[in-house]
Amino acid sequence: MKKRIEFIILACILIFSLSGCGSVTQPNMYKDPWSIKKEDDGWYYYVRENEEGYKYSVVLGLVNDTENIAQLVIPEKLGGYVVKRIGEFYCPIISAPYKKYGINAAMIENIIINHDIDTLVDCGIKDFSGNLIINAKINSFHCVNRYGETFLDINSVQINTNAMDFTYTSTYDGRYILSKYRKEYDLCLTENHYEIVFDANGGTQNTYYSIVKKDTLCLEPQSPIKQGFEFIGWYKEQQCINRWEFASEIVTSDVTLYAKWNKV
C-alpha cells in the first residue's frame, strides 16, 4: 500500500513538472504565429526568425480576396523584412486539421517572382490556376508530401533558367516534377503538361523554360538580346521558317522554339 501511494505521488510530481506548473513557464511550441498576422500594402504576412536570429517575412495572402488581377508580383519586402517564403501551414497538435494560408483572389492570371526566396509551399498557390513566372532563385519547392498527395493544377510554370538551376522529370504515373533538391518533395504538376524550351539561338540575355498544360496557350517570355542583331520572334525550327503565334497557337506536345535574328 505504501509503495502504491509513493508511486502515485511520484506520478503526480512528474505530470506537474511536465505541465510547467510550479516552474518557469516554457514557451508554447504550438502557439499560432498568425495570431500576430500583420498587413502591409494589401498583403497579409508575418515575420519569422530563424535559429541564427535572421528575420524575414512570410506571405500569407492578399487582404482583398475579391480582386481580378492580371499581374501579381510578389513583394520583395513586407514590414521592412525581405519576403523569403510564400504560403504557410500550421497545425496546433498532430491530430488537428491544418490551417493553411496562401495567395487568394477571385482570379489571378500571372504570379511573378522577381527576387530570390527560400521556400514556396503548396498552399501558397494551391487554388491558383494561372501562370507562375519565376525570374529568380527558389531554394525549395515544398509542395508535395512524401506520399505524393499534393499536385498542383496550374496552367504553366515559366522559369528564367539563368536565375534558377533545376531538373525536370516525368513520373511513372504521368505527372511532372520540377526538382532542385528532393524530387519527391518538390513542385509537382498534374498530368497533361508539356515542356517548352526557348533556345535564344546565340542571344546573350535570359533563356527560358516552360511547362504548359495541354491544349492551352504558352506565355511569351522576355525577348533575348544579341549584340548587333534585332530580335524578330520565336520560331518552330532552328532555320526559323514558321513563327510561333503565342496569341492563338495551343500546345499539344513538347516544343523547342528558336529565336530569330536580323543583322542590323
Side-chain angles (χ1 to χ4, degrees), residues 172-207:
Y172 67 91
D173 56 359
R175 291 178 289 194
Y176 297 90
I177 301 176
L178 273 173
S179 314
K180 170 68 175 168
Y181 299 108
R182 305 166 300 181
K183 291 181 180 180
E184 68 273 24
Y185 286 88
D186 294 333
L187 177 60
C188 296
L189 304 176
T190 56
E191 59 185 337
N192 297 324
H193 280 75
Y194 295 115
E195 58 179 320
I196 312 294
V197 177
F198 294 92
D199 188 330
N201 212 4
T204 57
Q205 203 183 30
N206 299 329
T207 54

Side-chain angles (χ1 to χ4, degrees), residues 15-244:
I15 293 171
F16 190 76
S17 61
L18 287 175
S19 67
C21 299
S23 62
V24 177
T25 303
Q26 299 298 317
N28 182 0
M29 63 182 296
Y30 299 117
K31 181 179 179 181
D32 184 347
W34 307 296
S35 62
I36 55 170
K37 180 170 65 174
K38 299 180 183 293
E39 179 182 333
D40 183 16
D41 197 26
W43 293 85
Y44 283 129
Y45 74 101
Y46 82 99
V47 176
R48 172 181 282 183
E49 183 175 354
N50 65 15
E51 294 178 353
E52 289 75 34
Y54 173 73
K55 292 183 178 181
Y56 59 94
S57 289
V58 179
V59 166
L60 296 180
L62 293 167
V63 175
N64 184 356
D65 61 1
T66 63
E67 292 183 279
N68 292 327
I69 304 170
Q71 309 282 337
L72 182 65
V73 180
I74 300 300
E76 185 171 356
K77 287 187 176 182
L78 287 174
Y81 295 96
V82 176
V83 171
K84 283 293 185 181
R85 183 180 176 99
I86 302 172
E88 189 60 280
F89 54 86
Y90 162 75
C91 183
I93 56 176
I94 294 175
S95 60
Y98 279 104
K99 292 176 65 176
K100 296 182 178 181
Y101 292 83
I103 296 170
N104 50 320
M107 185 184 74
I108 304 173
E109 293 182 24
N110 304 311
I111 293 177
I112 304 170
I113 301 173
N114 287 328
H115 74 282
D116 293 352
I117 66 171
D118 290 335
T119 308
L120 173 61
V121 185
D122 65 337
C123 57
I125 57 171
K126 187 172 183 181
D127 297 323
F128 170 61
S129 59
N131 306 296
L132 177 62
I133 302 171
I134 303 171
N135 292 316
K137 181 179 179 181
I138 299 178
N139 287 328
S140 176
F141 289 104
H142 187 62
C143 290
V144 61
N145 63 26
R146 70 183 65 199
Y147 304 109
E149 294 171 346
T150 303
F151 284 80
L152 301 174
D153 188 22
I154 61 181
N155 182 64
S156 74
V157 179
Q158 183 186 96
I159 294 176
N160 176 348
T161 55
N162 288 13
M164 182 175 147
D165 182 27
F166 69 99
T167 58
Y168 172 78
T169 58
S170 174
T171 64
Y172 67 91
D173 56 359
R175 291 178 289 194
Y176 297 90
I177 301 176
L178 273 173
S179 314
K180 170 68 175 168
Y181 299 108
R182 305 166 300 181
K183 291 181 180 180
E184 68 273 24
Y185 286 88
D186 294 333
L187 177 60
C188 296
L189 304 176
T190 56
E191 59 185 337
N192 297 324
H193 280 75
Y194 295 115
E195 58 179 320
I196 312 294
V197 177
F198 294 92
D199 188 330
N201 212 4
T204 57
Q205 203 183 30
N206 299 329
T207 54
Y208 287 85
Y209 177 92
S210 291
I211 299 177
V212 182
K213 186 182 290 186
K214 176 182 177 182
D215 296 332
T216 60
L217 298 174
C218 175
L219 285 179
E220 184 172 3
Q222 180 182 355
S223 298
I225 294 175
K226 188 175 181 180
Q227 189 68 31
F229 289 82
E230 176 189 10
F231 174 70
I232 303 302
W234 296 100
Y235 285 73
K236 302 176 187 179
E237 317 86 1
Q238 196 164 13
Q239 297 80 7
C240 297
I241 301 169
N242 297 293
R243 184 167 182 157
W244 184 274

